[in-house]
Amino acid sequence: MWIGWIEFDVLLGDVHSLKEKRSIVRPLVAELKRRFDVSAAETGLQDQYRRTMIGAALVATDHTHLREVLDAVERFVAARPELELLSARQRELHSED
């Protein structure tokens, strides 16, 4: 069994309040869950309105599938016009590690 996750440090565009931030982050997290069948959440910097951390994770039996999904998630987030991807950290573990 393979466990993988990716965490994004994101700078939001023209956002001036936490309410505006939520209007961008919530749909993004929901779309990650729907499109890629991963667990996803805002994982940090909740008190800052122009920055956020978003994480996505999944469990797979095949390492190749795990890599493909995590790479697709990263491409999807990086392509969003309303945000700037500052960094992405990806990690994978095998259940026997």
Coordinates of all heavy atoms in Angstrom, one line a residue:
M1 N 0.9 -1.2 0.0 CA 0.0 0.0 0.0 C 0.9 1.2 0.0 O 1.9 1.3 0.7 CB -0.9 0.0 1.2 CG -1.7 1.2 1.4 SD -2.9 1.2 2.8 CE -1.8 1.1 4.2
W2 N 0.6 2.2 -0.8 CA 1.3 3.5 -0.9 C 0.4 4.6 -0.4 O -0.8 4.7 -0.7 CB 1.6 3.7 -2.4 CG 2.8 2.9 -2.9 CD1 2.6 1.7 -3.5 CD2 4.1 3.1 -2.7 NE1 3.9 1.2 -3.8 CE2 4.8 2.1 -3.3 CE3 4.9 4.2 -2.2 CZ2 6.2 2.0 -3.4 CZ3 6.3 4.1 -2.2 CH2 6.9 3.0 -2.8
I3 N 1.0 5.5 0.3 CA 0.4 6.7 0.9 C 1.2 7.9 0.4 O 2.4 7.9 0.5 CB 0.4 6.6 2.4 CG1 -0.2 5.3 3.0 CG2 -0.3 7.9 3.0 CD1 0.4 4.9 4.3
G4 N 0.4 8.8 -0.2 CA 1.1 10.0 -0.8 C 0.3 11.2 -0.4 O -0.9 11.2 -0.3
W5 N 1.1 12.3 -0.3 CA 0.4 13.6 -0.1 C 1.2 14.7 -0.7 O 2.4 14.5 -1.0 CB 0.2 13.8 1.4 CG 1.4 14.0 2.3 CD1 2.0 15.1 2.6 CD2 2.1 12.9 2.9 NE1 3.1 14.8 3.4 CE2 3.1 13.5 3.6 CE3 1.9 11.5 2.9 CZ2 4.0 12.7 4.4 CZ3 2.8 10.8 3.7 CH2 3.8 11.4 4.4
I6 N 0.6 15.8 -0.9 CA 1.2 17.0 -1.5 C 0.6 18.2 -0.8 O -0.6 18.2 -0.4 CB 1.0 17.1 -3.0 CG1 1.8 18.2 -3.6 CG2 -0.5 17.2 -3.4 CD1 2.0 18.1 -5.1
E7 N 1.5 19.1 -0.5 CA 1.1 20.4 0.2 C 1.5 21.6 -0.6 O 2.7 21.6 -1.0 CB 1.7 20.4 1.6 CG 1.1 21.5 2.4 CD 1.5 21.5 3.9 OE1 2.7 21.1 4.2 OE2 0.7 21.8 4.7
F8 N 0.6 22.5 -0.8 CA 0.9 23.7 -1.6 C 0.9 24.9 -0.7 O 0.0 25.1 0.1 CB -0.2 23.9 -2.6 CG -0.4 22.7 -3.5 CD1 -1.5 21.8 -3.4 CD2 0.5 22.4 -4.6 CE1 -1.7 20.8 -4.2 CE2 0.3 21.3 -5.4 CZ -0.8 20.5 -5.2
D9 N 1.9 25.8 -1.0 CA 1.9 27.1 -0.4 C 1.5 28.0 -1.5 O 2.1 28.1 -2.6 CB 3.4 27.4 0.0 CG 3.5 28.8 0.8 OD1 2.4 29.5 0.9 OD2 4.6 29.2 1.1
V10 N 0.4 28.7 -1.2 CA -0.3 29.5 -2.3 C -0.5 30.9 -1.9 O -0.8 31.2 -0.8 CB -1.7 28.8 -2.5 CG1 -2.5 29.6 -3.5 CG2 -1.6 27.4 -3.0
L11 N -0.2 31.8 -2.9 CA -0.5 33.2 -2.7 C -1.7 33.5 -3.6 O -1.8 33.2 -4.8 CB 0.7 34.0 -3.3 CG 0.5 35.5 -3.2 CD1 0.4 36.1 -1.8 CD2 1.7 36.2 -3.9
L12 N -2.7 34.1 -2.9 CA -4.0 34.4 -3.6 C -3.9 35.8 -4.2 O -3.2 36.6 -3.8 CB -5.1 34.4 -2.6 CG -5.3 33.0 -1.9 CD1 -6.3 33.1 -0.8 CD2 -5.7 31.9 -2.8
G13 N -4.6 35.9 -5.3 CA -4.6 37.2 -6.1 C -5.2 38.4 -5.4 O -4.8 38.7 -4.3
D14 N -6.2 39.0 -5.9 CA -6.8 40.2 -5.5 C -7.8 39.8 -4.3 O -9.0 39.9 -4.5 CB -7.5 40.9 -6.6 CG -8.0 42.3 -6.3 OD1 -7.4 42.9 -5.4 OD2 -9.0 42.7 -6.9
V15 N -7.3 39.5 -3.2 CA -8.1 39.1 -2.0 C -7.9 40.1 -0.9 O -6.7 40.4 -0.6 CB -7.8 37.7 -1.6 CG1 -8.5 37.3 -0.3 CG2 -8.1 36.7 -2.7
H16 N -8.9 40.6 -0.3 CA -8.8 41.6 0.8 C -9.5 41.3 2.1 O -9.5 42.1 3.0 CB -9.4 43.0 0.3 CG -8.7 43.4 -1.0 ND1 -7.4 43.9 -1.0 CD2 -9.2 43.4 -2.3 CE1 -7.1 44.2 -2.3 NE2 -8.2 44.0 -3.0
S17 N -10.0 40.0 2.2 CA -10.6 39.6 3.4 C -10.6 38.1 3.5 O -10.4 37.4 2.5 CB -12.0 40.1 3.5 OG -12.8 39.4 2.6
L18 N -10.8 37.6 4.7 CA -10.9 36.1 4.9 C -12.1 35.6 4.2 O -12.1 34.4 3.7 CB -10.9 35.8 6.4 CG -9.6 36.0 7.2 CD1 -9.8 35.8 8.6 CD2 -8.5 35.2 6.6
K19 N -13.2 36.4 4.1 CA -14.4 35.9 3.4 C -14.1 35.7 1.9 O -14.5 34.7 1.3 CB -15.5 36.9 3.6 CG -16.8 36.5 3.0 CD -17.9 37.5 3.3 CE -19.2 37.1 2.8 NZ -20.3 38.0 3.1
E20 N -13.3 36.6 1.3 CA -12.9 36.5 -0.1 C -12.0 35.3 -0.3 O -12.1 34.6 -1.3 CB -12.2 37.7 -0.6 CG -13.1 38.9 -0.8 CD -12.4 40.1 -1.3 OE1 -11.7 40.0 -2.4 OE2 -12.4 41.2 -0.7
K21 N -11.1 35.1 0.7 CA -10.2 33.9 0.6 C -11.0 32.6 0.6 O -10.8 31.7 -0.2 CB -9.3 33.9 1.8 CG -8.4 32.7 2.0 CD -7.6 32.8 3.2 CE -6.7 31.6 3.4 NZ -5.9 31.6 4.6
R22 N -12.0 32.5 1.5 CA -12.9 31.3 1.6 C -13.6 31.1 0.2 O -13.8 29.9 -0.2 CB -13.9 31.4 2.7 CG -13.4 31.1 4.0 CD -14.5 30.9 5.0 NE -15.5 32.0 5.0 CZ -15.4 33.1 5.7 NH1 -14.4 33.3 6.5 NH2 -16.4 34.0 5.7
S23 N -14.0 32.2 -0.5 CA -14.7 32.0 -1.7 C -13.8 31.5 -2.8 O -14.3 31.0 -3.8 CB -15.3 33.4 -2.2 OG -14.3 34.2 -2.6
I24 N -12.5 31.5 -2.6 CA -11.5 30.9 -3.6 C -11.1 29.5 -3.1 O -11.1 28.5 -3.9 CB -10.3 31.8 -3.8 CG1 -10.7 33.1 -4.4 CG2 -9.2 31.0 -4.6 CD1 -9.6 34.1 -4.5
V25 N -10.8 29.4 -1.8 CA -10.2 28.1 -1.3 C -11.2 27.0 -1.2 O -10.9 25.9 -1.6 CB -9.6 28.4 0.1 CG1 -9.1 27.1 0.8 CG2 -8.4 29.3 0.0
R26 N -12.4 27.3 -0.7 CA -13.4 26.2 -0.6 C -13.8 25.5 -1.9 O -13.8 24.3 -2.0 CB -14.7 26.7 0.1 CG -14.6 26.8 1.6 CD -15.9 27.2 2.2 NE -15.8 27.3 3.6 CZ -16.7 27.8 4.4 NH1 -17.8 28.2 3.9 NH2 -16.5 27.8 5.7
P27 N -14.0 26.3 -3.0 CA -14.3 25.6 -4.3 C -13.1 24.9 -4.8 O -13.3 23.8 -5.4 CB -14.7 26.8 -5.2 CG -15.1 27.9 -4.3 CD -14.3 27.7 -3.1
L28 N -11.9 25.4 -4.6 CA -10.7 24.7 -5.0 C -10.6 23.3 -4.3 O -10.3 22.3 -5.0 CB -9.5 25.5 -4.8 CG -8.1 24.9 -5.1 CD1 -8.0 24.4 -6.6 CD2 -7.0 25.8 -4.7
V29 N -10.7 23.3 -3.0 CA -10.6 22.1 -2.2 C -11.7 21.1 -2.7 O -11.5 19.9 -2.9 CB -10.7 22.4 -0.7 CG1 -10.9 21.1 0.1 CG2 -9.4 23.1 -0.3
A30 N -12.9 21.6 -2.9 CA -14.0 20.7 -3.3 C -13.8 20.1 -4.7 O -14.0 19.0 -4.9 CB -15.3 21.5 -3.3
E31 N -13.2 20.9 -5.6 CA -12.9 20.5 -6.9 C -11.8 19.4 -6.9 O -11.8 18.4 -7.7 CB -12.5 21.6 -7.9 CG -12.3 21.2 -9.3 CD -13.5 20.7 -10.0 OE1 -14.6 20.9 -9.5 OE2 -13.4 20.1 -11.1
L32 N -10.8 19.6 -6.0 CA -9.7 18.6 -5.9 C -10.3 17.2 -5.5 O -10.0 16.2 -6.0 CB -8.7 19.0 -4.9 CG -7.7 20.2 -5.3 CD1 -6.9 20.6 -4.2 CD2 -6.9 19.8 -6.5
K33 N -11.2 17.3 -4.5 CA -11.9 16.1 -4.0 C -12.7 15.4 -5.1 O -12.6 14.2 -5.3 CB -12.8 16.4 -2.8 CG -12.0 16.8 -1.6 CD -13.0 17.2 -0.5 CE -12.4 17.6 0.8 NZ -13.3 18.0 1.8
R34 N -13.4 16.2 -5.8 CA -14.3 15.7 -6.8 C -13.6 15.1 -8.0 O -13.8 14.0 -8.5 CB -15.3 16.8 -7.3 CG -16.4 16.3 -8.2 CD -17.1 17.4 -8.9 NE -16.3 18.1 -9.9 CZ -16.0 17.6 -11.1 NH1 -16.3 16.4 -11.5 NH2 -15.3 18.4 -11.9
R35 N -12.6 15.9 -8.5 CA -12.0 15.6 -9.8 C -10.9 14.4 -9.6 O -10.8 13.6 -10.5 CB -11.3 16.8 -10.3 CG -10.6 16.5 -11.7 CD -10.0 17.8 -12.2 NE -11.0 18.7 -12.6 CZ -11.0 19.6 -13.6 NH1 -9.9 19.6 -14.3 NH2 -11.9 20.4 -13.9
F36 N -10.2 14.4 -8.5 CA -9.1 13.5 -8.3 C -9.4 12.4 -7.3 O -8.5 11.6 -7.0 CB -7.8 14.2 -8.0 CG -7.4 15.2 -9.1 CD1 -7.7 16.6 -8.9 CD2 -6.9 14.8 -10.2 CE1 -7.3 17.5 -9.9 CE2 -6.5 15.7 -11.2 CZ -6.8 17.1 -11.0
D37 N -10.5 12.4 -6.6 CA -10.8 11.5 -5.6 C -9.8 11.4 -4.5 O -9.3 10.3 -4.2 CB -11.1 10.1 -6.2 CG -11.9 9.2 -5.3 OD1 -12.6 9.7 -4.4 OD2 -11.8 8.0 -5.4
V38 N -9.4 12.5 -4.0 CA -8.4 12.6 -2.9 C -9.0 13.3 -1.7 O -10.1 13.9 -1.8 CB -7.1 13.5 -3.3 CG1 -6.4 12.8 -4.5 CG2 -7.5 14.9 -3.7
S39 N -8.3 13.1 -0.6 CA -8.7 13.9 0.6 C -8.0 15.2 0.5 O -6.8 15.3 0.2 CB -8.3 13.2 1.9 OG -9.0 12.0 2.0
A40 N -8.7 16.3 0.7 CA -8.1 17.6 0.5 C -8.6 18.6 1.6 O -9.8 18.5 2.0 CB -8.3 18.2 -0.9
A41 N -7.8 19.6 2.0 CA -8.2 20.5 3.0 C -7.2 21.7 3.0 O -6.1 21.6 2.5 CB -8.2 19.9 4.4
E42 N -7.7 22.8 3.5 CA -6.8 23.9 3.8 C -6.1 23.6 5.1 O -6.7 23.3 6.1 CB -7.6 25.2 4.0 CG -6.8 26.4 4.3 CD -7.6 27.7 4.5 OE1 -8.8 27.6 4.6 OE2 -6.9 28.8 4.5
T43 N -4.7 23.5 5.0 CA -4.0 22.9 6.1 C -3.1 23.9 6.9 O -2.5 23.6 7.9 CB -3.0 21.8 5.6 OG1 -2.1 22.4 4.6 CG2 -3.8 20.7 5.0
G44 N -3.1 25.2 6.5 CA -2.3 26.2 7.2 C -2.6 27.6 6.8 O -3.2 27.8 5.8
L45 N -2.1 28.5 7.6 CA -2.2 29.9 7.3 C -3.6 30.4 7.2 O -4.0 31.3 6.4 CB -1.4 30.3 6.0 CG 0.1 30.0 6.0 CD1 0.7 30.3 4.6 CD2 0.8 30.7 7.1
Q46 N -4.5 29.8 8.0 CA -5.9 30.2 7.9 C -6.2 31.6 8.4 O -7.2 32.2 8.0 CB -6.8 29.2 8.8 CG -7.0 27.9 8.2 CD -6.1 26.8 8.8 OE1 -5.0 27.2 9.4 NE2 -6.4 25.6 8.6
D47 N -5.3 32.2 9.1 CA -5.5 33.6 9.6 C -5.0 34.6 8.7 O -5.2 35.8 8.9 CB -4.9 33.7 11.0 CG -3.5 33.4 11.1 OD1 -3.0 32.7 10.1 OD2 -2.8 33.9 12.0
Q48 N -4.3 34.3 7.6 CA -3.8 35.2 6.7 C -4.7 35.2 5.4 O -5.0 34.1 4.9 CB -2.4 34.9 6.3 CG -1.4 35.0 7.4 CD 0.0 34.6 6.9 OE1 0.3 34.8 5.8 NE2 0.9 34.2 7.9
Y49 N -5.1 36.4 5.0 CA -6.1 36.4 3.9 C -5.5 36.3 2.5 O -6.2 36.0 1.5 CB -7.1 37.6 4.0 CG -6.4 38.9 3.9 CD1 -6.2 39.5 2.6 CD2 -6.1 39.6 5.0 CE1 -5.7 40.8 2.5 CE2 -5.5 40.9 4.9 CZ -5.3 41.4 3.6 OH -4.8 42.7 3.5
R50 N -4.2 36.5 2.3 CA -3.6 36.4 1.0 C -2.8 35.1 0.8 O -2.3 34.9 -0.3 CB -2.7 37.6 0.7 CG -3.5 38.9 0.6 CD -3.2 39.8 -0.5 NE -2.9 39.2 -1.8 CZ -1.8 39.6 -2.5 NH1 -0.9 40.4 -2.0 NH2 -1.6 39.1 -3.7
R51 N -2.6 34.3 1.8 CA -1.8 33.1 1.7 C -2.6 32.0 2.3 O -3.4 32.1 3.2 CB -0.5 33.2 2.5 CG 0.5 34.2 2.0 CD 1.6 33.7 1.1 NE 2.3 32.5 1.5 CZ 3.4 32.5 2.2 NH1 4.0 33.6 2.7 NH2 4.0 31.3 2.5
T52 N -2.3 30.8 1.8 CA -2.9 29.6 2.4 C -2.0 28.4 2.1 O -1.2 28.4 1.2 CB -4.3 29.3 1.8 OG1 -5.0 28.3 2.6 CG2 -4.3 29.0 0.4
M53 N -2.2 27.3 2.8 CA -1.6 26.0 2.6 C -2.8 25.1 2.3 O -3.7 25.0 3.0 CB -0.8 25.5 3.8 CG 0.3 26.5 4.3 SD 1.6 26.5 3.2 CE 2.4 25.0 3.5
I54 N -2.6 24.3 1.2 CA -3.7 23.4 0.8 C -3.0 22.0 0.7 O -1.9 21.9 0.1 CB -4.3 23.8 -0.5 CG1 -5.1 25.1 -0.3 CG2 -5.3 22.7 -1.0 CD1 -5.6 25.7 -1.6
G55 N -3.6 21.0 1.3 CA -3.0 19.7 1.2 C -4.0 18.7 0.6 O -5.2 18.8 0.7
A56 N -3.4 17.7 -0.1 CA -4.2 16.6 -0.7 C -3.5 15.3 -0.5 O -2.2 15.3 -0.5 CB -4.4 16.8 -2.2
A57 N -4.2 14.2 -0.2 CA -3.6 12.9 0.1 C -4.4 11.8 -0.5 O -5.6 12.0 -0.7 CB -3.5 12.8 1.6
L58 N -3.8 10.7 -0.7 CA -4.5 9.5 -1.2 C -3.7 8.3 -0.8 O -2.5 8.3 -0.5 CB -4.7 9.6 -2.7 CG -3.6 9.3 -3.6 CD1 -4.1 8.5 -4.8 CD2 -3.0 10.6 -4.1
V59 N -4.4 7.2 -0.8 CA -3.8 5.8 -0.6 C -4.1 5.0 -1.9 O -5.2 5.1 -2.5 CB -4.5 5.1 0.6 CG1 -4.0 3.7 0.7 CG2 -4.3 5.9 1.8
A60 N -3.0 4.3 -2.4 CA -3.1 3.5 -3.6 C -2.4 2.2 -3.5 O -1.4 2.2 -2.7 CB -2.6 4.3 -4.8
T61 N -2.8 1.3 -4.2 CA -2.0 0.0 -4.2 C -0.8 0.1 -5.2 O 0.1 -0.7 -5.0 CB -2.9 -1.2 -4.6 OG1 -3.5 -0.9 -5.9 CG2 -4.0 -1.4 -3.6
D62 N -0.9 1.0 -6.1 CA 0.1 1.0 -7.2 C 0.9 2.4 -7.1 O 0.3 3.4 -7.1 CB -0.5 0.9 -8.5 CG 0.4 1.0 -9.7 OD1 1.6 0.5 -9.5 OD2 0.0 1.4 -10.8
H63 N 2.2 2.3 -7.0 CA 3.0 3.5 -6.9 C 2.9 4.4 -8.1 O 2.8 5.7 -8.0 CB 4.5 3.2 -6.7 CG 5.4 4.4 -6.5 ND1 6.2 4.8 -7.5 CD2 5.5 5.2 -5.5 CE1 6.9 5.9 -7.0 NE2 6.4 6.1 -5.8
T64 N 2.8 3.8 -9.3 CA 2.6 4.6 -10.5 C 1.3 5.4 -10.5 O 1.3 6.6 -10.9 CB 2.6 3.7 -11.8 OG1 3.8 2.9 -11.8 CG2 2.5 4.5 -13.0
H65 N 0.2 4.8 -10.1 CA -1.0 5.5 -10.0 C -0.9 6.7 -9.0 O -1.4 7.8 -9.2 CB -2.2 4.6 -9.6 CG -3.5 5.2 -9.3 ND1 -4.2 5.8 -10.3 CD2 -4.2 5.4 -8.2 CE1 -5.3 6.3 -9.8 NE2 -5.3 6.1 -8.5
L66 N -0.3 6.4 -7.9 CA -0.1 7.5 -6.8 C 0.6 8.7 -7.4 O 0.2 9.8 -7.3 CB 0.7 6.9 -5.7 CG 0.9 7.8 -4.5 CD1 -0.3 7.8 -3.6 CD2 2.2 7.4 -3.8
R67 N 1.7 8.4 -8.1 CA 2.5 9.5 -8.7 C 1.7 10.3 -9.8 O 1.7 11.5 -9.8 CB 3.8 9.0 -9.4 CG 4.8 8.4 -8.5 CD 5.6 9.4 -7.8 NE 6.1 10.4 -8.7 CZ 6.8 11.4 -8.3 NH1 7.1 11.6 -7.1 NH2 7.3 12.3 -9.2
E68 N 0.9 9.5 -10.6 CA 0.1 10.2 -11.6 C -0.9 11.1 -11.0 O -1.1 12.2 -11.5 CB -0.6 9.1 -12.5 CG 0.4 8.4 -13.4 CD -0.3 7.2 -14.1 OE1 -1.5 6.9 -13.8 OE2 0.4 6.6 -15.0
V69 N -1.6 10.7 -10.0 CA -2.6 11.5 -9.3 C -2.0 12.7 -8.7 O -2.5 13.8 -8.9 CB -3.5 10.7 -8.3 CG1 -4.4 11.6 -7.6 CG2 -4.2 9.6 -9.1
L70 N -1.0 12.5 -7.9 CA -0.3 13.7 -7.2 C 0.2 14.7 -8.3 O 0.1 15.9 -8.1 CB 0.8 13.2 -6.3 CG 0.3 12.4 -5.1 CD1 1.5 12.0 -4.2 CD2 -0.7 13.2 -4.2
D71 N 0.8 14.2 -9.3 CA 1.3 15.1 -10.4 C 0.1 15.9 -11.0 O 0.2 17.1 -11.3 CB 2.1 14.4 -11.4 CG 3.4 13.9 -10.9 OD1 3.9 14.4 -9.8 OD2 4.0 13.0 -11.5
A72 N -1.0 15.2 -11.3 CA -2.1 15.8 -11.9 C -2.7 16.9 -11.0 O -3.1 18.0 -11.4 CB -3.2 14.8 -12.2
V73 N -2.8 16.6 -9.7 CA -3.2 17.6 -8.7 C -2.4 18.8 -8.7 O -2.8 19.9 -8.7 CB -3.3 16.9 -7.3 CG1 -3.5 18.0 -6.2 CG2 -4.4 15.9 -7.2
E74 N -1.0 18.6 -8.8 CA -0.1 19.7 -8.8 C -0.3 20.6 -10.1 O -0.4 21.8 -10.0 CB 1.3 19.3 -8.7 CG 2.3 20.4 -8.7 CD 3.7 20.0 -8.4 OE1 4.0 18.8 -8.2 OE2 4.6 20.9 -8.4
R75 N -0.5 19.9 -11.2 CA -0.7 20.7 -12.4 C -2.0 21.5 -12.4 O -2.1 22.6 -12.8 CB -0.7 19.7 -13.6 CG 0.6 19.2 -14.1 CD 0.6 18.5 -15.4 NE -0.3 17.4 -15.4 CZ -0.1 16.2 -15.0 NH1 1.1 15.9 -14.6 NH2 -1.0 15.2 -15.1
F76 N -3.0 20.9 -11.8 CA -4.3 21.5 -11.7 C -4.2 22.8 -10.8 O -4.8 23.8 -11.2 CB -5.4 20.5 -11.1 CG -6.7 21.1 -10.9 CD1 -7.6 21.3 -12.0 CD2 -7.2 21.5 -9.7 CE1 -8.8 21.8 -11.8 CE2 -8.4 22.1 -9.5 CZ -9.3 22.2 -10.6
V77 N -3.6 22.7 -9.7 CA -3.5 23.8 -8.8 C -2.6 24.9 -9.4 O -2.9 26.1 -9.4 CB -2.9 23.4 -7.4 CG1 -2.6 24.6 -6.6 CG2 -3.9 22.5 -6.7
A78 N -1.5 24.5 -10.1 CA -0.6 25.5 -10.7 C -1.3 26.2 -11.9 O -0.9 27.4 -12.1 CB 0.6 24.8 -11.2
A79 N -2.3 25.6 -12.5 CA -2.9 26.2 -13.6 C -4.0 27.2 -13.2 O -4.6 27.9 -14.1 CB -3.5 25.2 -14.5
R80 N -4.4 27.3 -12.0 CA -5.5 28.2 -11.5 C -5.1 29.6 -11.7 O -4.0 30.0 -11.1 CB -5.8 27.9 -10.1 CG -6.3 26.5 -9.8 CD -7.6 26.1 -10.5 NE -8.7 26.8 -9.9 CZ -9.9 26.3 -9.7 NH1 -10.2 25.1 -10.2 NH2 -10.8 27.0 -9.1
P81 N -5.8 30.4 -12.4 CA -5.4 31.8 -12.7 C -5.6 32.7 -11.4 O -4.9 33.8 -11.4 CB -6.4 32.3 -13.8 CG -7.6 31.4 -13.7 CD -7.0 30.1 -13.1
E82 N -6.4 32.3 -10.5 CA -6.7 33.2 -9.3 C -5.7 33.1 -8.2 O -5.8 33.8 -7.2 CB -8.1 33.0 -8.8 CG -8.3 31.6 -8.1 CD -8.7 30.5 -9.1 OE1 -8.5 30.6 -10.3 OE2 -9.1 29.5 -8.6
L83 N -4.7 32.2 -8.4 CA -3.7 32.0 -7.4 C -2.3 31.8 -8.0 O -2.2 31.5 -9.2 CB -4.1 30.9 -6.4 CG -4.4 29.5 -7.0 CD1 -3.1 28.7 -7.2 CD2 -5.3 28.8 -6.1
E84 N -1.3 32.0 -7.1 CA 0.1 31.8 -7.5 C 0.7 30.7 -6.7 O 0.6 30.8 -5.4 CB 0.9 33.1 -7.4 CG 2.4 32.9 -7.8 CD 3.2 34.2 -7.6 OE1 2.6 35.2 -7.4 OE2 4.4 34.0 -7.5
L85 N 1.1 29.6 -7.3 CA 1.7 28.5 -6.5 C 3.1 28.9 -6.1 O 4.0 29.0 -7.0 CB 1.7 27.3 -7.4 CG 2.2 26.0 -6.7 CD1 1.5 25.7 -5.4 CD2 2.1 24.8 -7.7
L86 N 3.4 29.1 -4.8 CA 4.7 29.4 -4.4 C 5.6 28.2 -4.2 O 6.8 28.3 -4.5 CB 4.6 30.2 -3.0 CG 3.8 31.5 -3.1 CD1 3.8 32.1 -1.7 CD2 4.5 32.5 -4.1
S87 N 5.1 27.1 -3.7 CA 5.8 25.9 -3.6 C 4.9 24.7 -3.4 O 3.7 24.9 -3.0 CB 6.8 25.9 -2.4 OG 6.1 25.9 -1.2
A88 N 5.4 23.5 -3.8 CA 4.7 22.3 -3.6 C 5.6 21.3 -3.1 O 6.7 21.1 -3.6 CB 4.1 21.8 -4.9
R89 N 5.2 20.6 -2.0 CA 6.0 19.6 -1.4 C 5.3 18.3 -1.5 O 4.1 18.2 -1.0 CB 6.3 19.9 0.1 CG 7.2 21.1 0.3 CD 7.5 21.3 1.7 NE 6.3 21.2 2.5 CZ 6.3 20.9 3.8 NH1 7.4 20.7 4.4 NH2 5.2 20.8 4.5
Q90 N 5.9 17.2 -2.0 CA 5.3 16.0 -2.2 C 6.0 14.9 -1.5 O 7.2 14.9 -1.4 CB 5.3 15.7 -3.7 CG 4.4 14.5 -4.1 CD 4.3 14.5 -5.7 OE1 4.3 15.5 -6.3 NE2 4.2 13.3 -6.2
R91 N 5.3 13.9 -0.9 CA 5.9 12.9 -0.1 C 5.1 11.6 -0.4 O 3.9 11.6 -0.5 CB 5.8 13.2 1.4 CG 6.5 12.3 2.3 CD 8.0 12.5 2.3 NE 8.7 11.4 3.0 CZ 8.9 11.4 4.3 NH1 8.6 12.3 5.1 NH2 9.6 10.3 4.8
E92 N 5.8 10.5 -0.4 CA 5.2 9.2 -0.6 C 5.9 8.2 0.3 O 7.1 8.2 0.6 CB 5.5 8.7 -2.1 CG 5.0 9.6 -3.1 CD 5.7 9.5 -4.4 OE1 6.6 8.6 -4.5 OE2 5.5 10.3 -5.3
L93 N 5.0 7.3 0.9 CA 5.5 6.3 1.8 C 4.9 4.9 1.4 O 3.7 4.9 1.0 CB 5.1 6.6 3.2 CG 5.8 7.8 3.9 CD1 5.2 8.0 5.3 CD2 7.3 7.5 4.0
H94 N 5.6 3.9 1.5 CA 5.1 2.5 1.4 C 4.8 2.0 2.7 O 5.4 2.4 3.7 CB 6.1 1.6 0.7 CG 5.6 0.4 0.2 ND1 5.6 -0.8 1.0 CD2 4.9 0.0 -0.9 CE1 5.0 -1.8 0.4 NE2 4.6 -1.3 -0.8
S95 N 3.8 1.2 2.8 CA 3.3 0.7 4.2 C 4.4 -0.1 4.9 O 4.3 -0.2 6.1 CB 2.0 -0.1 4.0 OG 2.3 -1.2 3.2
E96 N 5.4 -0.6 4.2 CA 6.4 -1.3 4.8 C 7.6 -0.5 5.3 O 8.6 -1.0 5.8 CB 6.9 -2.5 3.9 CG 5.8 -3.5 3.7 CD 6.2 -4.5 2.7 OE1 7.3 -4.6 2.2 OE2 5.3 -5.4 2.4
D97 N 7.6 0.8 5.0 CA 8.7 1.7 5.4 C 8.7 2.0 6.9 O 7.7 2.1 7.5 CB 8.6 3.1 4.6 CG 8.9 2.9 3.2 OD1 9.4 1.8 2.8 OD2 8.7 3.8 2.4

